Amino acid sequence: MITGFILRALEGKILIVAGILCAVALLVPALNLLMPPGSPLHVPTYVMSLFGKYLCYALLALALDLVWGYCGILSLGHGAFFALGGYAMGMYLMRQIGSRGVYGDPILPDFMVFLNWKELPWFWHGMDSFPVAMAMVLIVPGLLAFVFGWFAFRSRVNGVYLSIITQAMTYALMLAFFRNDMGFGGNNGLTDYKEILGFSVQADGTRAVLFALSAIFLAVCLMLASGITRSKFGKVLVGVRDAESRVRFLGYRVENIKLFTFTVSAMMAGIAGALFVPQVGIINPGEFAPANSIEVVVWTAVGGRGTLIGPIIGAILVNVGKSYFTGAFPELWLFALGGLFIGVTLFMPKGIVGTVQAYLARRKDFRQAAERDAAANDTKPQATPVAAE
């Protein structure tokens, strides 16, 4: 069973992209650490960190594609799962500061000392342990998705109503995390990190490892998603997307199928958030903003939903454009993003990868039809000439 799952995950295009990501995970850090700064092959640390952030966004878009592209669940709240994974990592990094903080308290983070907290909240205990923190990266987003999906899917909430509820969820979490009495840093969030696993967060070597981990986890999650979608379960998943009532009448528990997929997707988003935080150096309630979740939908649509590879390409391309336009034309970026989404919806409804796949499929069909016609003409009996009398 496991062998079959792995073989399905190693489908041609997926294997190529995963291989490219693994090669990037080795090549870019090597060019950063081994090449001298004056060399044309040297990759600056800030560029590596910037693209590490893009890889985290690509993993978030991949997580959304699993539920939207294959299960038909348009989630406008995946930014919440991303942020929760980021907060779990941020809590671990804050506990590593210890007495090196501004107030020198070995237990309480600086913001708690400033707010006159007397003791560490119960949910912060154990977060100084890396295994516990990494478990929370998966458990907290997964548990929220499971509880939310349990009630939503069993109530048969679908379509735009489900999208609105997911957006309301992330907005409610944003308002809650803005409160100082929540114990997560309020408006300022969690920042001023010093080290991770004993290594300085600011060191080039640490940033190179974080970049490599971002690329590797993206490759692993891509193969995991491929294994799921290419299995028998994946066929049922597409059936739920295209004809939910028929799948239900066939005897499948549709709510369980949706719940499993939604939970797995949330855990993938949590991993993306955990890799994102040490590379950018901060996590605050702004990551819960509904606009962030809507941007993820744009990335997925631009790249091509239901393709797995498309959302990765869309997330990287859109964020590269965002980095350029917000510097060159900051007041025009949102108009450009909206225009891009409208243009893709009108002229490339299948996204970049989906459009390319459809074009290649048409060419293949045309070529096969031409070959069949040529074969039919070759096998057609020739008329025998009649001799003149």
Side-chain angles (χ1 to χ4, degrees), residues 142-260:
L143 184 60
L144 174 63
F146 183 85
V147 173
F148 176 88
W150 178 275
F151 291 103
F153 300 142
R154 276 165 174 71
S155 300
R156 299 194 180 182
V157 180
N158 291 308
V160 66
Y161 303 104
L162 182 61
S163 300
I164 292 173
I165 292 175
T166 57
Q167 191 171 59
M169 174 190 69
T170 189
Y171 187 69
L173 286 170
M174 182 186 71
L175 295 180
F177 274 71
F178 266 119
R179 295 171 58 91
N180 287 327
D181 56 4
M182 281 287 291
F184 294 105
N187 182 55
N188 295 322
L190 309 177
T191 186
D192 195 29
Y193 311 132
K194 304 297 183 185
E195 60 183 37
I196 178 171
L197 291 175
F199 298 96
S200 172
V201 175
Q202 302 299 327
D204 289 351
T206 306
R207 292 189 171 274
V209 171
L210 289 170
F211 174 89
L213 288 175
S214 300
I216 291 172
F217 270 98
L218 177 57
V220 170
C221 289
L222 175 62
M223 295 175 65
L224 173 64
S226 176
I228 292 174
T229 56
R230 288 173 57 83
S231 65
K232 293 181 180 179
F233 177 84
K235 305 302 181 184
V236 178
L237 202 62
V238 174
V240 172
R241 179 195 67 189
D242 295 338
E244 179 178 335
S245 59
R246 291 188 179 185
V247 175
R248 193 183 301 276
F249 291 151
L250 287 173
Y252 289 97
R253 297 292 299 272
V254 171
E255 57 273 13
N256 291 345
I257 295 171
K258 288 184 175 182
L259 185 61
F260 172 80

Side-chain angles (χ1 to χ4, degrees), residues 87 90-95 97-98 101-128 177 179-191:
Y87 265 97
M91 292 168 70
Y92 165 76
L93 295 174
M94 291 296 289
R95 291 299 308 275
I97 297 175
V102 175
Y103 296 100
D105 193 298
I107 302 297
L108 297 180
D110 283 340
F111 73 89
M112 291 187 184
V113 178
F114 177 77
L115 295 173
N116 295 319
W117 289 64
K118 302 304 181 185
E119 60 182 2
L120 200 66
W122 64 268
F123 48 84
W124 277 78
H125 289 287
M127 295 304 290
D128 56 338
F177 274 71
R179 295 171 58 91
N180 287 327
D181 56 4
M182 281 287 291
F184 294 105
N187 182 55
N188 295 322
L190 309 177
T191 186

